[in-house]
Amino acid sequence: MAWRPWFQTAHVVKGQMKSKMKPIERWDIVRGDWVQVMTGKDKGEQGKVASVMRKKQEVLVEGLNCEIITKNDVRLLQAVPLLYKDVALVDPSDGKPCAVIYKFTKEGRKVRVSTRTGQPIPTPLEAMQRRDVKYRSGYIDGPYDTSVEDAVEQTYVPALETFEEEMEILYPKPPPLAQLDVDKLIKMYEREKKLEEKVYW
């Protein structure tokens, strides 16, 4: 195949597209949060987060950043994910975007707090839903699940002895065989050995 100048350019562009993304150290947005778009055609619009894709660093907001697609000769309006850096969490106390920090309550729970107003931002119920059940509180233990009572039960009591000493206490060594018994075993072995018939192939 003859060389074309755009082959090398396309290869370089393809390599640039596969560059690794810098991982996000702290992910502040979860499913069900109310966010505001900071850039793009929907700048300033607010919506609810439908799903979060942490590997791609994207969030899908209901009704925002929509594109028209054609499926089975039908034109549909479908939402396209936004980059995590292009949205900001909305403070429910005043409805404006804000940055958040994490603090601990008196009960020991870790909550998000707005840096501008100091008001806590509650975690939505959608973030607590699971794939197998809707909420963790409604999960029923199956036959192969470990119950809470079995997990909390203490089955090992520590002692001052070492592991070898504990095994000797639990499983003591059998008493040594008497010399008479040993002689009997030797005689039985020799007798059985004599009874073995020779085999010729």
Side-chain angles (χ1 to χ4, degrees):
M1 182 183 290
W3 180 83
R4 297 290 185 270
W6 54 82
F7 284 179
Q8 187 175 3
T9 307
H11 179 70
V12 173
V13 173
K14 187 177 180 181
Q16 291 177 355
M17 292 176 64
K18 289 186 177 181
S19 61
K20 295 183 179 180
M21 294 183 293
K22 184 178 179 181
I24 298 175
E25 297 180 358
R26 192 184 69 185
W27 195 280
D28 299 329
I29 299 174
V30 295
R31 184 160 49 106
D33 277 333
W34 202 260
V35 296
Q36 179 172 328
V37 181
M38 307 305 292
T39 58
K41 59 181 181 180
D42 293 330
K43 182 179 180 180
E45 298 291 335
Q46 295 183 0
K48 188 178 181 181
V49 177
S51 63
V52 174
M53 293 153 278
R54 301 199 179 192
K55 289 185 178 180
K56 297 182 180 180
Q57 299 182 7
E58 295 176 343
V59 294
L60 184 65
V61 186
E62 296 178 357
L64 297 181
N65 196 32
C66 295
E67 293 182 358
I68 298 175
I69 62 171
T70 304
K71 187 175 182 180
N72 298 330
D73 298 333
V74 179
R75 302 184 72 185
L76 303 172
L77 197 64
Q78 184 177 2
V80 179
L82 291 161
L83 289 176
Y84 175 81
K85 64 179 181 179
D86 294 341
V87 297
L89 194 62
V90 173
D91 190 347
S93 61
D94 57 2
K96 296 180 181 179
C98 67
V100 297
I101 58 175
Y102 287 88
K103 291 185 179 181
F104 289 92
T105 61
K106 295 180 180 179
E107 294 80 12
R109 290 187 59 190
K110 188 178 180 181
V111 295
R112 300 173 294 177
V113 179
S114 172
T115 55
R116 187 179 64 256
T117 60
Q119 296 294 327
I121 301 176
T123 303
L125 294 176
E126 288 85 348
M128 302 179 184
Q129 292 181 357
R130 298 167 57 94
R131 293 182 180 180
D132 48 359
V133 292
K134 193 170 184 180
Y135 296 104
R136 297 178 183 178
S137 59
Y139 181 76
I140 301 174
D141 292 341
Y144 299 103
D145 292 330
T146 304
S147 62
V148 179
E149 294 77 12
D150 293 340
V152 176
E153 182 183 359
Q154 183 178 1
T155 56
Y156 175 74
V157 180
L160 297 177
E161 293 84 3
T162 61
F163 177 76
E164 290 79 6
E165 293 174 351
E166 289 184 7
M167 292 296 103
E168 289 180 0
I169 295 172
L170 293 174
Y171 307 101
K173 294 181 179 179
L177 292 174
Q179 188 64 29
L180 183 61
D181 298 337
V182 175
D183 295 340
K184 286 183 178 180
L185 292 174
I186 293 173
K187 289 180 180 180
M188 290 175 60
Y189 173 73
E190 291 177 352
R191 191 184 307 158
E192 291 178 358
K193 194 173 182 181
K194 290 179 180 179
L195 294 175
E196 292 180 358
E197 296 182 359
K198 294 183 179 181
V199 180
Y200 299 95
W201 295 94

